[in-house]
Amino acid sequence: MKTVALIRKELASYFAGPLVYVVVGAFLLATGYRFYTTLNSYVTFGFGINILENFWQDFFVNHIGFYLLIVVPLFTMRLIAEERRLGTIELLYTYPLRDTEIMLAKFAACLLIFLLFLAGTALYPAIVYAIQPFDPSPFLARYLGAVLFLASCIACGLFVSSLTDSQVVASSCTFVVLLLFWILTWNEAAVSSTFLTVLSQLSTFDHFFSFARGVIDLKDVTYFVLFIGLFLFLTLRSMESRRWRGRR
């Protein structure tokens, strides 16, 4: 119940300011524009035999996934860094809450906000389905992958936010880390095939790509669950470090 109450408090703080409305609007505007232009391009030039499947794969990876890389740091930067800068984190620590409950509440509230982002994108397949019906089952994998990828980005951003009291530093560093995991395997010619195989196991892009194809692979699910668990574990250790470092 304490965690639920804190989640409500976090959600209320999101909707009290203009950031969530502006960013959700900008995200849907950008993805909507890319949806229209990319679909128009695929229909006009007809890439491959299965145009729609190729289109959705491209759209989820290169537009929804990449745009999440950009907007997630704008929200995660405030999770702990802002409270530390304002001094409100001291007040929060005086409440009868464990660090685990505080961390999970911030993570869950941010995730709920971003589910609004993804819910808005469901309009795009609905529009196409109304014009040309298709098998909707691959979208279960695509949205499962999007949620896991999103949760991974938030967990990473939460950890970075716990390391600093500067929102600019938290946002910038989170974007760099997320981008690094995203592009690990993009320059295939620069590394050996063995090393490339290792990098592909660490790349968020490679694991999200399978979901974008409409495939649910246990190893991809496991990767994202471990990714989320690792960064939440590191966040908890970072929060607990104030006890022996005398830091807020």
Coordinates of all heavy atoms in Angstrom, one line a residue, residues 186-242:
W186 N 26.3 -2.0 -34.9 CA 26.0 -1.3 -36.2 C 27.2 -1.3 -37.1 O 27.0 -1.3 -38.3 CB 25.5 0.1 -36.0 CG 24.1 0.1 -35.5 CD1 23.3 -0.9 -35.0 CD2 23.2 1.2 -35.6 NE1 22.1 -0.5 -34.7 CE2 21.9 0.8 -35.1 CE3 23.3 2.6 -36.0 CZ2 20.8 1.6 -35.0 CZ3 22.2 3.4 -35.9 CH2 21.0 2.9 -35.4
N187 N 28.4 -1.3 -36.6 CA 29.6 -1.2 -37.4 C 30.2 -2.6 -37.5 O 31.2 -2.9 -36.8 CB 30.6 -0.2 -36.9 CG 31.7 0.1 -37.9 OD1 31.8 -0.5 -39.0 ND2 32.5 1.1 -37.6
E188 N 29.7 -3.5 -38.3 CA 30.1 -4.9 -38.3 C 31.5 -5.1 -38.8 O 32.2 -6.0 -38.4 CB 29.1 -5.7 -39.2 CG 27.7 -5.7 -38.7 CD 26.8 -6.4 -39.6 OE1 27.2 -6.9 -40.6 OE2 25.6 -6.5 -39.3
A189 N 31.9 -4.2 -39.7 CA 33.3 -4.3 -40.3 C 34.4 -4.0 -39.4 O 35.6 -4.3 -39.6 CB 33.4 -3.5 -41.6
A190 N 34.1 -3.3 -38.3 CA 35.1 -2.8 -37.4 C 35.6 -3.9 -36.4 O 36.6 -3.7 -35.7 CB 34.6 -1.6 -36.6
V191 N 34.9 -5.0 -36.2 CA 35.2 -6.0 -35.2 C 35.2 -7.4 -35.8 O 34.6 -7.6 -36.9 CB 34.2 -5.9 -34.0 CG1 34.3 -4.6 -33.3 CG2 32.8 -6.2 -34.5
S192 N 35.8 -8.3 -35.1 CA 35.8 -9.7 -35.6 C 34.4 -10.3 -35.5 O 33.6 -9.8 -34.7 CB 36.8 -10.5 -34.9 OG 36.4 -10.6 -33.5
S193 N 34.2 -11.4 -36.2 CA 32.9 -12.1 -36.1 C 32.6 -12.6 -34.7 O 31.5 -12.6 -34.2 CB 32.8 -13.2 -37.1 OG 33.9 -14.1 -36.9
T194 N 33.7 -13.0 -34.0 CA 33.5 -13.6 -32.6 C 33.1 -12.5 -31.7 O 32.2 -12.6 -30.9 CB 34.9 -14.2 -32.1 OG1 35.3 -15.2 -33.0 CG2 34.7 -14.7 -30.7
F195 N 33.8 -11.3 -31.8 CA 33.5 -10.2 -30.9 C 32.1 -9.6 -31.3 O 31.3 -9.2 -30.4 CB 34.5 -9.1 -31.1 CG 34.4 -8.0 -30.0 CD1 34.3 -8.3 -28.7 CD2 34.4 -6.7 -30.4 CE1 34.2 -7.4 -27.7 CE2 34.3 -5.7 -29.4 CZ 34.2 -6.0 -28.1
L196 N 31.7 -9.7 -32.6 CA 30.4 -9.2 -33.0 C 29.3 -10.1 -32.4 O 28.2 -9.6 -32.0 CB 30.3 -9.2 -34.5 CG 29.0 -8.7 -35.1 CD1 28.9 -7.2 -34.8 CD2 29.0 -8.9 -36.6
T197 N 29.6 -11.4 -32.3 CA 28.6 -12.3 -31.6 C 28.4 -11.9 -30.2 O 27.2 -11.9 -29.7 CB 29.1 -13.7 -31.7 OG1 29.3 -14.1 -33.1 CG2 28.1 -14.7 -31.1
V198 N 29.5 -11.6 -29.5 CA 29.4 -11.2 -28.1 C 28.6 -9.9 -28.0 O 27.7 -9.7 -27.1 CB 30.8 -11.0 -27.5 CG1 30.7 -10.4 -26.1 CG2 31.5 -12.3 -27.5
L199 N 28.9 -8.9 -28.9 CA 28.2 -7.6 -28.8 C 26.7 -7.8 -29.1 O 25.9 -7.1 -28.5 CB 28.8 -6.6 -29.8 CG 30.2 -6.2 -29.6 CD1 30.7 -5.2 -30.7 CD2 30.3 -5.4 -28.2
S200 N 26.4 -8.7 -30.0 CA 25.0 -8.9 -30.3 C 24.2 -9.4 -29.2 O 23.0 -9.2 -29.1 CB 24.8 -9.9 -31.5 OG 25.2 -11.2 -31.1
Q201 N 24.9 -10.1 -28.2 CA 24.2 -10.6 -27.0 C 23.9 -9.4 -26.0 O 23.1 -9.6 -25.1 CB 25.0 -11.7 -26.3 CG 25.3 -12.9 -27.2 CD 24.0 -13.5 -27.7 OE1 23.1 -13.7 -27.0 NE2 24.0 -13.8 -29.0
L202 N 24.6 -8.3 -26.2 CA 24.5 -7.2 -25.3 C 23.6 -6.1 -25.9 O 23.2 -5.2 -25.2 CB 25.9 -6.6 -24.9 CG 26.8 -7.6 -24.2 CD1 28.2 -6.9 -24.1 CD2 26.3 -8.0 -22.9
S203 N 23.4 -6.1 -27.2 CA 22.7 -5.0 -27.9 C 21.2 -5.0 -27.7 O 20.6 -6.0 -28.0 CB 23.1 -5.2 -29.4 OG 22.2 -4.3 -30.2
T204 N 20.7 -3.9 -27.3 CA 19.2 -3.8 -27.1 C 18.6 -3.8 -28.5 O 17.5 -4.3 -28.7 CB 18.9 -2.5 -26.4 OG1 19.5 -1.4 -27.0 CG2 19.2 -2.5 -24.9
F205 N 19.3 -3.2 -29.5 CA 18.7 -3.2 -30.9 C 18.5 -4.6 -31.4 O 17.4 -4.9 -31.9 CB 19.7 -2.5 -31.8 CG 19.3 -2.4 -33.2 CD1 18.4 -1.4 -33.7 CD2 19.7 -3.4 -34.1 CE1 18.0 -1.4 -35.0 CE2 19.3 -3.4 -35.4 CZ 18.5 -2.4 -35.9
D206 N 19.5 -5.5 -31.2 CA 19.4 -6.8 -31.8 C 18.3 -7.6 -31.1 O 17.6 -8.4 -31.8 CB 20.7 -7.6 -31.6 CG 21.8 -7.1 -32.6 OD1 21.8 -5.9 -32.9 OD2 22.6 -7.9 -33.0
H207 N 18.1 -7.5 -29.8 CA 17.1 -8.2 -29.1 C 15.7 -7.6 -29.4 O 14.7 -8.4 -29.4 CB 17.4 -8.2 -27.6 CG 18.5 -9.1 -27.2 ND1 18.5 -10.4 -27.1 CD2 19.8 -8.7 -26.9 CE1 19.6 -10.9 -26.8 NE2 20.5 -9.9 -26.7
F208 N 15.6 -6.3 -29.5 CA 14.3 -5.7 -29.9 C 13.9 -6.0 -31.3 O 12.7 -6.1 -31.6 CB 14.4 -4.2 -29.6 CG 13.1 -3.5 -29.9 CD1 11.9 -3.8 -29.2 CD2 13.0 -2.4 -30.8 CE1 10.7 -3.2 -29.4 CE2 11.8 -1.7 -31.0 CZ 10.7 -2.1 -30.3
F209 N 14.9 -6.2 -32.2 CA 14.6 -6.5 -33.6 C 13.7 -7.7 -33.7 O 12.8 -7.8 -34.6 CB 15.9 -6.6 -34.3 CG 15.7 -6.6 -35.8 CD1 15.6 -5.4 -36.5 CD2 15.7 -7.8 -36.5 CE1 15.4 -5.4 -37.9 CE2 15.6 -7.8 -37.9 CZ 15.4 -6.6 -38.6
S210 N 14.0 -8.8 -32.9 CA 13.2 -10.0 -33.0 C 11.7 -9.7 -32.7 O 10.8 -10.2 -33.4 CB 13.7 -11.1 -32.1 OG 15.0 -11.4 -32.4
F211 N 11.5 -8.9 -31.7 CA 10.1 -8.6 -31.3 C 9.5 -7.8 -32.4 O 8.3 -8.0 -32.7 CB 10.1 -7.7 -30.0 CG 10.4 -8.5 -28.8 CD1 11.6 -8.3 -28.1 CD2 9.5 -9.4 -28.2 CE1 11.9 -9.0 -27.0 CE2 9.8 -10.1 -27.1 CZ 11.0 -9.9 -26.5
A212 N 10.2 -6.9 -33.1 CA 9.7 -6.1 -34.1 C 9.2 -6.9 -35.3 O 8.4 -6.5 -36.1 CB 10.7 -5.0 -34.6
R213 N 9.9 -8.1 -35.5 CA 9.5 -9.0 -36.6 C 8.3 -9.8 -36.2 O 7.8 -10.6 -37.0 CB 10.7 -10.0 -36.8 CG 11.9 -9.3 -37.5 CD 13.1 -10.2 -37.5 NE 12.7 -11.6 -38.0 CZ 13.2 -12.7 -37.4 NH1 14.0 -12.6 -36.3 NH2 12.8 -13.8 -37.9
G214 N 7.8 -9.6 -35.0 CA 6.6 -10.3 -34.5 C 6.9 -11.7 -33.9 O 6.0 -12.6 -33.8
V215 N 8.2 -11.8 -33.4 CA 8.6 -13.1 -32.8 C 8.9 -12.9 -31.4 O 9.7 -12.0 -31.0 CB 9.9 -13.6 -33.6 CG1 10.4 -14.9 -32.9 CG2 9.6 -13.9 -35.0
I216 N 8.4 -13.8 -30.5 CA 8.7 -13.8 -29.1 C 9.7 -14.9 -28.8 O 9.4 -16.1 -28.9 CB 7.5 -13.9 -28.2 CG1 6.5 -12.8 -28.4 CG2 7.9 -14.0 -26.7 CD1 5.2 -13.0 -27.6
D217 N 11.0 -14.5 -28.5 CA 12.0 -15.5 -28.3 C 12.4 -15.4 -26.8 O 12.6 -14.3 -26.3 CB 13.2 -15.2 -29.1 CG 14.2 -16.4 -29.1 OD1 14.5 -16.9 -28.0 OD2 14.8 -16.7 -30.1
L218 N 12.4 -16.6 -26.1 CA 12.7 -16.6 -24.7 C 14.0 -15.9 -24.3 O 14.1 -15.2 -23.3 CB 12.7 -18.0 -24.2 CG 12.9 -18.2 -22.6 CD1 11.8 -17.5 -21.9 CD2 12.9 -19.7 -22.3
K219 N 15.0 -16.0 -25.2 CA 16.3 -15.4 -24.9 C 16.2 -13.9 -24.9 O 16.9 -13.2 -24.2 CB 17.4 -15.9 -25.9 CG 17.3 -15.4 -27.3 CD 18.5 -15.9 -28.1 CE 18.4 -15.3 -29.5 NZ 19.5 -15.7 -30.4
D220 N 15.4 -13.4 -25.8 CA 15.2 -11.9 -25.9 C 14.4 -11.4 -24.6 O 14.8 -10.4 -24.1 CB 14.5 -11.5 -27.1 CG 15.2 -11.9 -28.4 OD1 16.5 -11.7 -28.4 OD2 14.6 -12.4 -29.3
V221 N 13.4 -12.2 -24.2 CA 12.7 -11.8 -23.0 C 13.6 -11.8 -21.8 O 13.7 -10.9 -21.0 CB 11.5 -12.8 -22.8 CG1 10.8 -12.4 -21.4 CG2 10.5 -12.6 -23.9
T222 N 14.4 -12.9 -21.7 CA 15.4 -13.1 -20.6 C 16.4 -11.9 -20.6 O 16.7 -11.4 -19.5 CB 16.1 -14.4 -20.7 OG1 15.2 -15.5 -20.8 CG2 17.1 -14.6 -19.5
Y223 N 16.9 -11.5 -21.8 CA 17.8 -10.4 -21.8 C 17.3 -9.2 -21.2 O 17.9 -8.5 -20.4 CB 18.2 -10.2 -23.3 CG 18.9 -8.9 -23.5 CD1 20.3 -8.8 -23.3 CD2 18.2 -7.7 -24.0 CE1 21.0 -7.5 -23.5 CE2 18.9 -6.5 -24.2 CZ 20.2 -6.4 -23.9 OH 20.9 -5.2 -24.1
F224 N 16.1 -8.8 -21.6 CA 15.5 -7.5 -21.1 C 15.2 -7.6 -19.6 O 15.3 -6.6 -18.9 CB 14.2 -7.2 -21.9 CG 14.6 -6.5 -23.3 CD1 14.2 -7.1 -24.4 CD2 15.2 -5.3 -23.3 CE1 14.5 -6.6 -25.7 CE2 15.5 -4.7 -24.5 CZ 15.2 -5.3 -25.7
V225 N 14.7 -8.8 -19.2 CA 14.4 -8.9 -17.8 C 15.7 -8.8 -16.9 O 15.7 -8.1 -15.9 CB 13.8 -10.3 -17.5 CG1 13.7 -10.6 -16.0 CG2 12.4 -10.4 -18.1
L226 N 16.8 -9.4 -17.4 CA 18.1 -9.3 -16.7 C 18.6 -7.8 -16.8 O 19.2 -7.3 -15.8 CB 19.1 -10.2 -17.4 CG 18.9 -11.7 -17.1 CD1 19.9 -12.6 -17.9 CD2 18.9 -12.0 -15.6
F227 N 18.4 -7.2 -17.9 CA 18.8 -5.8 -18.1 C 18.1 -4.9 -17.1 O 18.7 -4.1 -16.4 CB 18.5 -5.3 -19.5 CG 19.1 -4.0 -20.0 CD1 20.2 -4.0 -20.8 CD2 18.6 -2.8 -19.5 CE1 20.8 -2.8 -21.1 CE2 19.1 -1.6 -19.9 CZ 20.2 -1.6 -20.7
I228 N 16.8 -5.1 -17.0 CA 16.0 -4.3 -16.0 C 16.4 -4.6 -14.6 O 16.7 -3.7 -13.8 CB 14.5 -4.6 -16.2 CG1 14.0 -4.2 -17.6 CG2 13.7 -3.9 -15.1 CD1 12.7 -4.7 -18.0
G229 N 16.6 -5.9 -14.3 CA 17.0 -6.3 -12.9 C 18.3 -5.8 -12.6 O 18.5 -5.4 -11.4
L230 N 19.3 -5.8 -13.5 CA 20.6 -5.3 -13.2 C 20.6 -3.8 -12.8 O 21.2 -3.4 -11.8 CB 21.5 -5.5 -14.4 CG 22.9 -4.9 -14.3 CD1 23.7 -5.5 -13.2 CD2 23.7 -5.0 -15.6
F231 N 19.9 -3.0 -13.6 CA 19.9 -1.6 -13.4 C 19.1 -1.2 -12.1 O 19.5 -0.3 -11.4 CB 19.5 -0.8 -14.6 CG 20.6 -0.6 -15.6 CD1 20.6 -1.3 -16.8 CD2 21.6 0.3 -15.3 CE1 21.7 -1.1 -17.7 CE2 22.7 0.5 -16.2 CZ 22.7 -0.2 -17.4
L232 N 18.1 -2.0 -11.8 CA 17.3 -1.7 -10.6 C 18.2 -2.1 -9.4 O 18.2 -1.4 -8.4 CB 16.0 -2.5 -10.6 CG 14.9 -2.0 -11.6 CD1 13.7 -2.8 -11.4 CD2 14.6 -0.5 -11.4
F233 N 18.9 -3.2 -9.5 CA 19.8 -3.6 -8.4 C 20.9 -2.5 -8.2 O 21.2 -2.1 -7.1 CB 20.5 -4.9 -8.8 CG 21.6 -5.4 -7.9 CD1 21.3 -6.0 -6.7 CD2 22.9 -5.2 -8.2 CE1 22.3 -6.4 -5.8 CE2 23.9 -5.5 -7.4 CZ 23.6 -6.1 -6.1
L234 N 21.5 -2.0 -9.3 CA 22.5 -0.9 -9.2 C 21.9 0.3 -8.6 O 22.6 1.0 -7.8 CB 23.1 -0.7 -10.5 CG 24.0 -1.8 -11.2 CD1 24.4 -1.4 -12.6 CD2 25.2 -2.1 -10.3
T235 N 20.7 0.6 -9.0 CA 20.0 1.8 -8.4 C 19.8 1.7 -6.9 O 20.1 2.6 -6.1 CB 18.6 2.0 -9.0 OG1 18.7 2.1 -10.4 CG2 17.9 3.2 -8.5
L236 N 19.4 0.5 -6.5 CA 19.2 0.3 -5.0 C 20.5 0.4 -4.3 O 20.6 1.0 -3.2 CB 18.6 -1.1 -4.8 CG 18.1 -1.4 -3.4 CD1 17.0 -0.4 -3.0 CD2 17.5 -2.8 -3.4
R237 N 21.6 -0.1 -4.8 CA 22.9 0.0 -4.2 C 23.3 1.5 -4.1 O 23.9 1.9 -3.2 CB 24.0 -0.8 -5.0 CG 23.7 -2.3 -5.1 CD 24.0 -3.0 -3.7 NE 22.9 -3.0 -2.8 CZ 21.8 -3.7 -2.9 NH1 21.7 -4.6 -3.8 NH2 20.8 -3.6 -2.0
S238 N 23.0 2.2 -5.2 CA 23.4 3.6 -5.2 C 22.6 4.4 -4.2 O 23.2 5.2 -3.5 CB 23.1 4.2 -6.6 OG 23.3 5.6 -6.6
M239 N 21.3 4.1 -4.0 CA 20.5 4.8 -3.0 C 21.0 4.4 -1.6 O 21.1 5.3 -0.7 CB 19.1 4.4 -3.1 CG 18.4 4.9 -4.4 SD 16.8 4.2 -4.7 CE 15.8 5.0 -3.4
E240 N 21.4 3.2 -1.4 CA 21.8 2.7 -0.1 C 23.2 3.3 0.3 O 23.6 3.4 1.5 CB 21.9 1.2 0.0 CG 20.5 0.6 0.0 CD 20.6 -0.9 -0.1 OE1 21.7 -1.5 -0.4 OE2 19.5 -1.6 0.1
S241 N 24.0 3.7 -0.7 CA 25.3 4.2 -0.5 C 25.4 5.5 0.3 O 26.4 5.8 0.9 CB 26.1 4.4 -1.8 OG 25.5 5.5 -2.5
R242 N 24.2 6.2 0.4 CA 24.2 7.5 1.2 C 24.5 7.2 2.7 O 25.0 8.1 3.4 CB 22.9 8.1 1.0 CG 21.7 7.5 1.8 CD 20.4 8.1 1.5 NE 19.3 7.5 2.4 CZ 18.7 6.4 2.1 NH1 19.1 5.7 1.1 NH2 17.8 5.9 2.9

